[in-house]
Amino acid sequence: MPSTGMDRKPENRSVIMGHCITMKKSSLVPPLVSCLFLWSGRSFTAAAFSHGSTASFISPSNSVSQHEINSRRKAMHDLCDKRTKGLCKLRMTSTTLESSITIDSRTIDSRRHTLGSRRTTAVAGNGIFLCTLLKSNAAIAKTAATTLSSVAAAPVLLPPLYKILLACLLPTLLGYYKSEYGVSYGYGTAMAASSYLILSSISQSAGLPLTKPDAILSSLTATVDSLRTLLPASLPAFHAFALLFYGTRLNLFLLYRELCLPRFRAMRERIEDRAKKQGGRMKRTPFLLSCTFLYFCLSCPVLVTTKLCEGMSMSCSLGLGGGLISILEQSLRLSVILALSGFLLGAFGDLNKSFGKMLKGEDTLITGGIFRYFRHPNYTGEVIGWTSSCLAAFLAVALKTVADTSSNGGLYVWKSMAGFLSLSVIGAIGISFVLGTATAGLEFRQQEKYGDSEEYKQWVKKSWVGFKMGKQKKDEGENNADAEETEEE
């Protein structure tokens, strides 16, 4: 076993022992330092170092200078410091990565939770919406069923006949002020007022009043809502509404003509001058009373359908199966629809002519639009409307006769409604005569004015004249003025 420097020099042994005793806390040389010393070919006896402590390295051959010891110690300290700093950096990087991963995982969990909450909320919202929609549909269906049952169950209390007569008479008295007003505004207002009284009675019986004691806007809204619910559920209400639409539309059109077109004001004054030449205003009384009677006759078919078809709705299935009763029901519905369709045809005709003359000039012959098929759609539409309304009254009586199983028999229905049916026929024939005569006058005037043009000849070949009665002849200039007035009416 080789001897160390401690065996050969006792004094060195005491020095080393003194160092060992005076060290605060000793530690063994790390394995890396021992390997470094062995690789350099030097042996060492003992080495101890720490912060604030000293150590002596003894060579087996000669002593190492203190400067070299300090430089090596410093190198070892630097190496340890670098490794310690590197380890600290690695630990810090690891901690940062762990923190980042933790934050990312928390963010992912939070977003996943948010998405799950939103999905749950959306599903819940959709479920609530579907439930609300189903409840709304159920409420609508319930309201419709309630309306149908109330219309079918509640008997309609018709307005007294004197109210219907007053509704036809009072507007006609405008003819005392201006002769033309008795057959224009008086006509439209009488139809609108009489049909409104009947429609109001039907709506009151169904629990859907047309007017409420509120503001005008809310009252109009309530009226529209009531009509939307009532018209499909009640055939008499639909019939009355057709006349109400006609009267209201006619008055609005007449008001537009008088306010916006000066030539109509001039036409009204010419009519008034001719009426004054025939005598005083009181001499107009027979004519105005005959107009009142005609207007009352035109409202009678609605009274018949309201009296006999209380529980009948406008909803129906296609086809004519089910026997005679089903055929009569479908025919009655069709006649009421034709009445409204005829009045709509007249409205489209007036609108078409007004816009055409506004764009192309007052003397332009209108051959486009609805005039391509009907030469006089306003007159033709009115004849269809009033004839279908009268037909609806007869179909209502026939249906009630077939369906009546009481001991009185169906003949009792005809007897009870004979007066109203007679007045309905008088009204339909009377208004058809007036409109047919007006059509003949308008045909004569158009032929006189446009008869030489190729456009007029082609138009006459392709369009339908409508219901024309007799031929208008040119006698004097006054007849021409009457024809012009008839055209514009």
Side-chain angles (χ1 to χ4, degrees), residues 316-336:
C316 61
S317 58
L318 297 178
L320 298 177
L324 183 58
I325 294 179
S326 178
I327 294 175
L328 290 174
E329 287 181 352
Q330 304 287 42
S331 301
L332 178 55
R333 292 187 179 99
L334 180 61
S335 63
V336 174

Side-chain angles (χ1 to χ4, degrees), residues 159-318:
L161 290 181
Y162 76 89
K163 289 187 177 181
I164 304 294
L165 285 170
L166 286 177
C168 296
L169 173 64
L170 294 179
T172 312
L173 297 180
L174 290 172
Y176 285 116
Y177 172 64
K178 295 289 183 182
S179 179
E180 189 264 343
Y181 284 175
V183 294
S184 58
Y185 292 108
Y187 177 32
T189 306
M191 292 296 94
S194 59
S195 59
Y196 178 80
L197 289 175
I198 301 173
L199 183 60
S200 179
S201 299
I202 298 172
S203 64
Q204 290 287 349
S205 301
L208 297 169
L210 295 182
T211 57
K212 295 181 179 180
D214 295 331
I216 296 178
L217 183 60
S218 60
S219 180
L220 290 176
T221 304
T223 301
V224 173
D225 292 339
S226 298
L227 288 176
R228 289 176 59 186
T229 306
L230 184 63
L231 294 184
S234 173
L235 183 141
F238 193 94
H239 193 182
F241 175 78
L243 272 66
L244 177 62
F245 165 78
Y246 172 75
T248 305
R249 195 278 311 175
L250 178 60
N251 278 349
L252 292 176
F253 177 69
L254 294 172
L255 183 63
Y256 156 75
R257 284 195 327 179
E258 188 165 357
L259 294 179
C260 301
L261 302 177
R263 63 191 181 92
F264 284 102
R265 292 194 293 270
M267 178 198 71
R268 181 196 63 198
E269 295 302 325
R270 288 198 306 269
I271 297 175
E272 185 65 19
D273 292 339
R274 287 202 306 272
K276 289 180 179 179
K277 290 179 181 179
Q278 296 175 358
R281 297 180 186 273
M282 296 306 297
K283 289 187 176 181
R284 305 174 188 177
T285 302
F287 173 72
L288 296 179
L289 289 178
S290 64
C291 290
T292 301
F293 178 70
L294 176 63
Y295 303 155
F296 176 76
C297 292
L298 292 176
S299 63
C300 284
V302 184
L303 294 174
V304 175
T305 56
T306 304
K307 185 68 176 178
L308 301 181
C309 306
E310 296 176 358
M312 188 174 179
S313 67
M314 289 299 296
S315 60
C316 61
S317 58
L318 297 178

Side-chain angles (χ1 to χ4, degrees), residues 416-476:
S416 62
M417 292 290 124
F420 288 117
L421 291 178
S422 301
L423 294 175
S424 299
V425 172
I426 293 174
I429 293 176
I431 196 65
S432 297
F433 174 78
V434 172
L435 295 172
T437 305
T439 302
L442 183 54
E443 274 287 295
F444 172 78
R445 183 174 183 274
Q446 287 181 343
Q447 185 177 6
E448 185 181 41
K449 189 174 183 178
Y450 308 106
D452 296 334
S453 65
E454 188 64 26
E455 180 186 8
Y456 175 78
K457 295 177 181 179
Q458 295 296 326
W459 179 51
V460 170
K461 291 179 180 179
K462 297 180 181 179
S463 59
W464 181 40
V465 65
F467 304 97
K468 183 177 69 170
M469 291 187 180
K471 293 184 179 181
Q472 185 76 17
K473 295 182 180 181
K474 179 180 179 182
D475 295 330
E476 296 180 1

Side-chain angles (χ1 to χ4, degrees), residues 49-51 72-82:
F49 62 90
S50 64
H51 296 288
R72 292 180 180 178
R73 182 185 300 164
K74 185 178 180 181
M76 293 294 102
H77 277 292
D78 292 341
L79 180 61
C80 291
D81 289 340
K82 289 182 180 179

